[in-house]
């Protein structure tokens, strides 16, 4: 394989280098050097499938007279990304009661009056209910105090973690539904913690991928007119001209990172001048 | 679950439930680093069942211990990656903030 497999833990720790290329709120690009493909792939798989997030799971419908059926509307609600830190919540299993530590409750109540134009229901109309569910369950004894679908012992407003950052949806302009005149939606949505393996709505990333750094090696020195031709061939400007004394020009590899391995530089030339490979332990 | 012979502790197959390539490939990689290992490989009997079979053959040491060591090594490697990553991201954020401040002060 050309790779020494007897690497030990200390040499791994010494050789590992991570460089961050780009970091914004929504995307990140970084390089890992000195790591093996199996570990890089494991990180990618874990990012997609096993990092927990919060997403809407149970939807209690009170009224839905829109054209979109109940289950499709519930499916759409589940896919909306929420602005909630999953580390502050616990998992909810089948036997637990929903309480303020494992559920977030949202309410959506929209109606379109007769005579007004079509109304678009956007995700900013999902209101957070910090006090828990407002819908009452049917209780066997009518005189007893009505129970709601969640048993919040205290309002989530009062919890210190949520004091500064109210919970809500991440993007305010996601279209959930469209209502014609006389149609209405009233529902309550409960969001719980889960991982992407169970359902893709709980996957925290839109996607995650990696590629290995391409290595472009010039087998021979390419000078003069050939050098300029080579530079022109590459669609992403991997090569560059370096001026060697006496007006001669030499081609050098300036930006191997941008190489997409399209092999344009090899086409049309009779003898092999350029070799394209991938660096076995450099992952982008 | 371990399938092995009772007399020869140095080779056995471990069947792990609720695992997939994510763990199995990384464990196979760390097992390969160990000089005591003669052969190691993993297979997934059927993609619909969530099971992984890891085969370990060593040069004498019991396969259980070698697998345990490999898993420990994997945990330490991941911890190191995590600390390196956190440090790198913090440094990057710090340098970004500094640049922002510089731009503002020029105006």
């Amino acid at each position: 394989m050309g790779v020494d497999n007897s690497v030990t833990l200390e040499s791994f720790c010494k050789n590992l280098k991570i460089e961050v290329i780009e970091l914004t709120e929504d995307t990140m690009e970084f390089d890992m050097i000195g790591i093996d493909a199996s570990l890089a792939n494991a990180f990618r798989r874990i990012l997609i499938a096993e990092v927990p997030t919060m997403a809407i799971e149970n939807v209690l419908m009170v009224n839905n007279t829109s054209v979109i059926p109940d289950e499709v509307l519930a499916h759409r609600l589940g896919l909306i990304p929420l602005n909630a830190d999953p580390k502050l919540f616990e998992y909810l299993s089948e036997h637990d009661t929903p309480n303020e530590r494992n559920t977030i409750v949202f309410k959506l109540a929209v109606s379109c009056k007769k005579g007004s134009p079509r109304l678009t229901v956007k995700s900013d109309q999902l209101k957070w209910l910090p006090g828990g569910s407002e819908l009452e369950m049917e209780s066997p004894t009518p005189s007893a105090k009505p129970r709601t679908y969640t048993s919040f012992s205290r309002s989530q407003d009062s919890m210190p973690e949520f004091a500064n950052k109210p919970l809500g949806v991440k993007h305010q302009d996601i279209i959930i539904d469209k209502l014609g005149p006389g149609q209405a939606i009233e529902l309550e949505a409960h969001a719980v913690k889960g991982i992407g393996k169970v359902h893709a709505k709980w996957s925290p990333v839109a996607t995650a991928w990696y590629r290995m750094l391409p290595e472009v090696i010039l087998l021979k020195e390419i000078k003069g007119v050939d050098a300029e031709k080579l530079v022109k061939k590459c669609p992403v400007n991997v090569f560059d001209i370096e001026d060697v004394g006496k007006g001669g020009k030499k081609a050098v590899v300036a930006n191997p990172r941008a190489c997409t391995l399209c092999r344009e530089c090899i086409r049309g030339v009779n003898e092999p001048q350029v070799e394209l490979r991938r660096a076995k332990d450099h992952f982008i | 679950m371990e399938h092995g012979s009772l007399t020869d502790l140095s080779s056995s197959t471990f069947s792990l439930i609720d695992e997939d390539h994510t763990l199995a490939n990384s464990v196979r990689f760390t097992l390969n680093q160990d000089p005591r290992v003669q052969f190691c490989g993993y297979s997934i009997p059927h993609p619909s069942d969530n099971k992984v079979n890891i085969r370990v053959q060593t040069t004498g040491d019991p396969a259980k211990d070698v697998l345990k060591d490999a898993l420990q090594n994997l945990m330490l490697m991941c911890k190191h990656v995590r600390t390196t990553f956190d440090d790198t991201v913090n440094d990057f954020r710090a340098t970004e903030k500094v640049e922002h401040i510089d731009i503002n002060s020029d105006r």
Side-chain angles (χ1 to χ4, degrees):
Chain A
M1 276 207 316
V3 176
D4 183 7
N5 269 335
S6 60
V7 170
T8 64
L9 183 61
E10 292 136 29
S11 58
F12 172 80
C13 292
K14 261 192 288 179
N15 290 339
L16 176 71
K17 264 192 294 236
I18 301 185
E19 291 162 9
V20 179
I21 311 290
E22 184 200 333
L23 177 60
T24 65
E25 197 190 331
D26 288 334
T27 60
M28 179 170 185
E29 185 178 335
F30 62 96
D31 280 21
M32 281 175 129
I33 312 171
I35 201 174
D36 185 69
S38 55
L39 276 178
N41 193 32
F43 289 133
R44 182 193 64 89
R45 286 175 71 100
I46 291 176
L47 268 174
I48 294 179
E50 297 188 32
V51 177
T53 16
M54 306 291 298
I56 291 178
E57 164 87 356
N58 296 322
V59 176
L60 305 169
M61 292 280 186
V62 176
N63 183 12
N64 176 21
T65 42
S66 70
V67 289
I68 299 189
D70 290 350
E71 59 273 12
V72 178
L73 185 57
H75 179 253
R76 287 177 71 82
L77 285 170
L79 292 172
I80 297 175
L82 301 176
N83 204 357
D85 187 358
K87 289 191 282 243
L88 304 172
F89 289 91
E90 301 162 353
Y91 284 102
L92 173 70
S93 73
E94 290 160 10
H95 313 289
D96 291 342
T97 47
N99 57 36
E100 73 274 8
R101 279 186 308 279
N102 54 32
T103 316
I104 308 178
V105 181
F106 290 97
K107 175 175 163 165
L108 182 65
V110 197
S111 65
C112 185
K113 296 199 195 35
K114 278 201 200 291
S116 55
R118 297 190 87 83
L119 181 69
T120 306
V121 179
K122 294 210 171 154
S123 56
D124 57 356
Q125 295 178 335
L126 270 172
K127 300 268 180 295
W128 176 40
L129 299 176
S133 170
E134 287 171 0
L135 298 177
E136 292 166 358
M137 287 204 282
E138 292 161 6
S139 68
T141 52
S143 59
K145 189 171 156 209
R147 286 191 306 146
T148 61
Y149 280 96
T150 61
S151 20
F152 277 40
S153 59
R154 57 180 180 152
S155 166
Q156 278 175 331
D157 251 348
S158 61
M159 291 167 77
E161 300 97 49
F162 306 127
N164 296 329
K165 289 180 281 190
L167 301 175
V169 293
K170 184 97 203 293
H171 302 278
Q172 305 294 330
D173 53 353
I174 300 176
I175 297 181
I176 302 177
D177 198 353
K178 288 197 180 181
L179 295 176
Q183 295 175 346
I185 300 182
E186 194 183 330
L187 55 83
E188 219 177 70
H190 297 191
V192 293
K193 185 169 165 177
I195 58 175
K197 244 196 216 176
V198 176
H199 192 287
K201 71 187 176 196
W202 276 302
S203 176
V205 297
T207 189
W209 72 83
Y210 70 87
R211 63 185 174 115
M212 297 162 95
L213 180 77
E215 274 180 358
V216 184
I217 315 233
L218 292 169
L219 293 173
K220 299 185 310 190
E221 269 210 8
I222 303 182
K223 290 196 250 207
V225 181
D226 282 343
E228 289 187 23
K229 268 201 279 187
L230 190 62
V231 170
K232 279 213 196 100
K233 264 196 212 162
C234 184
V236 285
N237 295 334
V238 171
F239 298 102
D240 207 356
I241 302 272
E242 196 183 275
D243 284 328
V244 181
K246 292 189 195 163
K249 294 189 171 90
K250 197 171 82 161
V252 288
V253 180
N255 190 9
R257 210 185 161 83
C259 179
T260 55
L261 292 185
C262 62
R263 295 198 163 31
E264 269 296 319
C265 42
I266 310 186
R267 253 176 56 169
V269 182
N270 292 333
E271 10 168 306
Q273 285 173 324
V274 176
E275 186 178 320
L276 293 170
R277 278 203 308 246
R278 293 237 186 235
K280 283 207 169 16
D281 63 351
H282 188 142
F283 293 89
I284 301 176
Chain B
M1 235 195 315
E2 180 186 349
H3 305 282
S5 87
L6 291 166
T7 48
D8 181 17
L9 287 171
S10 68
S11 327
S12 47
T13 306
F14 299 92
S15 180
L16 306 176
I17 311 184
D18 256 353
E19 291 296 339
D20 57 2
H21 302 277
T22 312
L23 181 69
N25 205 8
S26 329
V27 165
R28 181 199 59 81
F29 169 68
T30 41
L31 273 170
N32 259 329
Q33 316 303 320
D34 199 331
R36 301 174 284 178
V37 162
Q38 212 176 46
F39 169 80
C40 73
Y42 81 95
S43 71
I44 305 217
H46 192 281
S48 309
D49 313 325
N50 234 354
K51 286 201 191 124
V52 169
N53 288 342
I54 303 185
R55 171 93 187 152
V56 184
Q57 275 170 219
T58 70
T59 54
D61 289 357
K64 254 198 310 200
D65 300 337
V66 174
L67 184 67
K68 261 196 219 167
D69 287 343
L71 288 166
Q72 295 278 27
N73 265 349
L74 183 63
M75 272 192 347
L76 292 171
M77 272 194 206
C78 290
K79 243 190 221 173
H80 182 258
V81 172
R82 184 186 180 150
T83 44
T84 317
F85 184 76
D86 282 338
D87 292 340
T88 320
V89 170
N90 285 336
D91 288 342
F92 185 78
R93 283 212 177 115
T95 51
E96 271 221 322
K97 277 194 192 135
V98 167
E99 280 161 19
H100 278 293
I101 294 172
D102 283 345
I103 292 170
N104 286 337
S105 68
D106 277 349
R107 288 185 199 158

